[in-house]
Amino acid sequence: MISSTGRIRTERSRIILEAAMKEFAHYGYAGATVQGIADRAELPKPNIIYYFNNKQAVYDKVLLNILKLFQERLSPITAEDDPAQVLKTYIHSKVSLARDYPAACRIFASEIVHGGQNLSPNMKQAMRKWANRSTTVFQQWVDEGKMTPVDPTHLLFMIWGSSQFYADYETQVKTVINRKKISRAHYQQAAETICDIVLRGCGLNSG
C-alpha cells in the first residue's frame, strides 16, 4: 500500500515531468530552464531541484519516458503473428502517438537531430535491443515467404518517419491542409494511407 507521502511524491513528479515535456518541446534542451519548468508546473523552483537535482536529471527522465512510450507501441511479437495485422496495429498506434503526444515526438526528434548526446548508453542499448528484436521477426516473415523481401531495418525507419512526421512537422501539415488543427479524421486518413502503402510494398493484403 502506497503511503500518502509516496502518493504526493508520485503526483509531484508527474506534474514536473509534464511541465518539463512542454518546456523542452518549446525551447529545446539548451533553451529550457529549471525556472521555466517550475513556472509551468506552478511549483517553487526548489521543488524541482528536490525531486530531480538539476535540469539534466529532469531531461534524462523525460527521454527515458519517451523511449518507453515509443517501444510500448509495438508489443513483443513472434514469427507466428500475422504480419499484416502487426504492421497495421503498429502504424495506427504510431500515428496516434503523434496525435496524442506531439511534444514527446518533437523532443526525441530534436535530441536525435542534435546527435543524441543526451541519450545514455543504457538508452541507446535498449533502443537497439528493441529494434533488433522487432526486425528479427520481420526477417523471419520474409524468410518464410510471408512478406515480400524488404530490408527489415529500413522498413522500421520508414514507418517511424512517415508516422512521426505529423508531430515533428505539425506546422507544415496544418499549413498545407489549411487548418488550425489536425483533426482526428486527418490522422485516421494518414494512418490508413501509410498502412496501405507499407502493406502493399510488403506484399500484404491492406484490406
Side-chain angles (χ1 to χ4, degrees):
M1 185 175 180
I2 301 176
S3 66
S4 59
T5 302
R7 284 194 296 271
I8 292 172
R9 185 177 184 85
T10 298
E11 179 61 14
R12 285 277 173 84
S13 295
R14 183 190 65 79
I15 291 171
I16 291 170
L17 290 172
E18 286 185 358
M21 186 87 71
K22 295 175 183 177
E23 180 77 2
F24 289 128
H26 188 79
Y27 292 108
Y29 177 79
T33 64
V34 173
Q35 185 61 59
I37 295 170
D39 291 343
R40 290 178 186 273
E42 298 182 350
L43 292 170
K45 181 178 176 181
N47 276 39
I48 312 301
I49 303 302
Y50 173 77
Y51 283 99
F52 291 98
N53 294 326
N54 52 43
K55 183 175 76 169
Q56 183 66 55
V58 182
Y59 189 64
D60 288 346
K61 184 61 175 178
V62 166
L63 283 179
L64 183 61
N65 286 348
I66 291 172
L67 279 174
K68 288 181 179 178
L69 186 64
F70 284 2
Q71 292 173 5
E72 287 169 357
R73 293 291 156 148
L74 183 56
S75 302
I77 58 176
T78 69
E80 287 70 42
D81 292 325
D82 176 46
Q85 189 57 52
V86 168
L87 292 175
K88 285 171 67 175
T89 299
Y90 184 49
I91 291 168
H92 275 275
S93 67
K94 284 288 286 152
V95 172
S96 70
L97 188 69
R99 180 194 67 212
D100 298 334
Y101 300 95
C105 292
R106 286 194 285 270
I107 290 170
F108 189 74
S110 177
E111 176 61 33
I112 296 300
V113 166
H114 289 90
Q117 296 177 357
N118 291 290
L119 289 175
S120 69
N122 285 341
M123 290 181 194
K124 292 178 181 179
Q125 183 179 19
M127 188 161 51
R128 281 193 296 268
K129 183 177 179 180
W130 176 88
N132 289 339
R133 187 171 60 241
S134 300
T135 54
T136 295
V137 174
F138 292 174
Q139 186 61 56
Q140 285 181 270
W141 288 337
V142 170
D143 295 341
E144 294 172 6
K146 295 180 179 179
M147 281 192 345
T148 299
V150 294
D151 184 282
T153 303
H154 288 294
L155 173 60
L156 199 57
F157 290 162
M158 183 179 296
I159 294 173
W160 288 351
S162 57
S163 59
Q164 288 180 209
F165 178 88
Y166 295 89
D168 299 343
Y169 299 95
E170 182 182 15
T171 299
Q172 184 177 4
V173 173
K174 290 189 292 187
T175 299
V176 170
I177 66 176
N178 196 25
R179 295 286 190 277
K180 292 183 178 180
K181 183 179 180 180
I182 307 174
S183 68
R184 294 185 73 89
H186 273 106
Y187 281 111
Q188 179 67 19
Q189 186 177 24
E192 290 175 356
T193 300
I194 296 169
C195 279
D196 185 57
I197 293 171
V198 169
L199 266 62
R200 286 178 185 274
C202 292
L204 301 170
N205 185 357
S206 61

